[in-house]
Amino acid sequence: MSVQDTAEPSRRDFLYIATGAVGAVGAVTLAWPFIDQMNPDAATLALAAIDVDVSQIAVGQSIVAKWRGKPVEIRQRTEAEVLAAKDASLDELKDPIARNANLPGDAPAIDANRAAPDREQWLVMVQVCTHLGCIPLGQSGAYDGWFCPCHGSVYDTAGRIRSGPAPENMAIPPFEFTSDTTVRIG
């Protein structure tokens, strides 16, 4: 057995360990801002869910709320709009899938799967054209729903694509009515 194996740690050994520890702490301190910036922005977290008062929306009118940076249209449809949406058969639709985040992914695009449950006059929908992300104009087009003037996509009164280059129906975000006058989106 040599003398070095049983010797006490030297000052040099202490300096190596201390330098390594300071270097490790410095590396973590330097890396933390880069790691932390990958977390969601506070504004994003704040908009994870929003409550919207719908008491002032008259029949045939709509409002647009901003949720996660997207326009969400909340519309109280007229009886004629509801009937027109119900009368459309799945064979007439370009996209037969409901695209409703509240339902299974393969739910058919019938009006009941696009409107609010037990409140068929209410439509809560992300108002973004599924072709190139434009904002369609409401209550226009051949079906009196939405029309995207950029490329000519036409949506019906349930936000389902009927003609034009858009491949899918406009999305229904996760939402629920928390009272008769308040809808929570997100």
Side-chain angles (χ1 to χ4, degrees):
M1 192 176 222
S2 72
V3 178
Q4 286 182 327
D5 291 340
T6 61
E8 292 289 319
S10 68
R11 182 175 176 168
R12 180 175 294 198
D13 293 336
F14 172 75
L15 288 175
Y16 284 146
I17 293 170
T19 303
V22 168
V25 169
V28 169
T29 303
L30 182 67
W32 179 251
F34 297 109
I35 294 168
D36 188 48
Q37 63 89 24
M38 292 182 216
N39 287 327
D41 182 65
T44 302
L45 294 174
L47 293 177
I50 60 170
D51 289 333
V52 180
D53 179 14
V54 297
S55 62
Q56 301 301 314
I57 304 173
V59 174
Q61 292 184 339
S62 58
I63 64 167
V64 176
K66 191 171 184 179
W67 173 69
R68 293 187 177 173
K70 299 174 188 167
V72 175
E73 180 155 347
I74 303 167
R75 179 163 180 75
Q76 186 171 0
R77 302 182 295 173
T78 64
E79 258 187 71
E81 290 173 333
V82 172
L83 288 174
K86 283 182 175 181
D87 287 343
S89 72
L90 286 176
D91 296 335
E92 299 171 354
L93 302 177
K94 191 172 176 183
D95 180 13
I97 306 297
R99 311 285 174 201
N100 187 335
N102 303 297
L103 300 174
D106 61 348
I110 60 174
D111 184 61
N113 288 343
R114 301 275 303 162
D118 301 323
R119 291 177 170 91
E120 66 182 10
Q121 78 274 21
W122 289 102
L123 181 66
V124 179
M125 173 186 74
V126 177
Q127 188 182 352
V128 174
C129 180
T130 58
H131 179 233
L132 291 176
C134 309
I135 307 298
L137 304 173
Q139 294 72 56
S140 45
Y143 297 92
D144 292 326
W146 289 265
F147 173 70
C148 183
C150 301
H151 298 97
S153 294
V154 178
Y155 299 86
D156 66 8
T157 58
R160 300 172 296 196
I161 183 65
R162 299 301 291 271
S163 64
E168 297 178 349
N169 300 323
M170 286 193 267
I172 305 292
F175 76 94
E176 66 176 330
F177 275 85
T178 56
S179 73
D180 288 339
T181 60
T182 305
V183 63
R184 175 169 290 149
I185 304 169

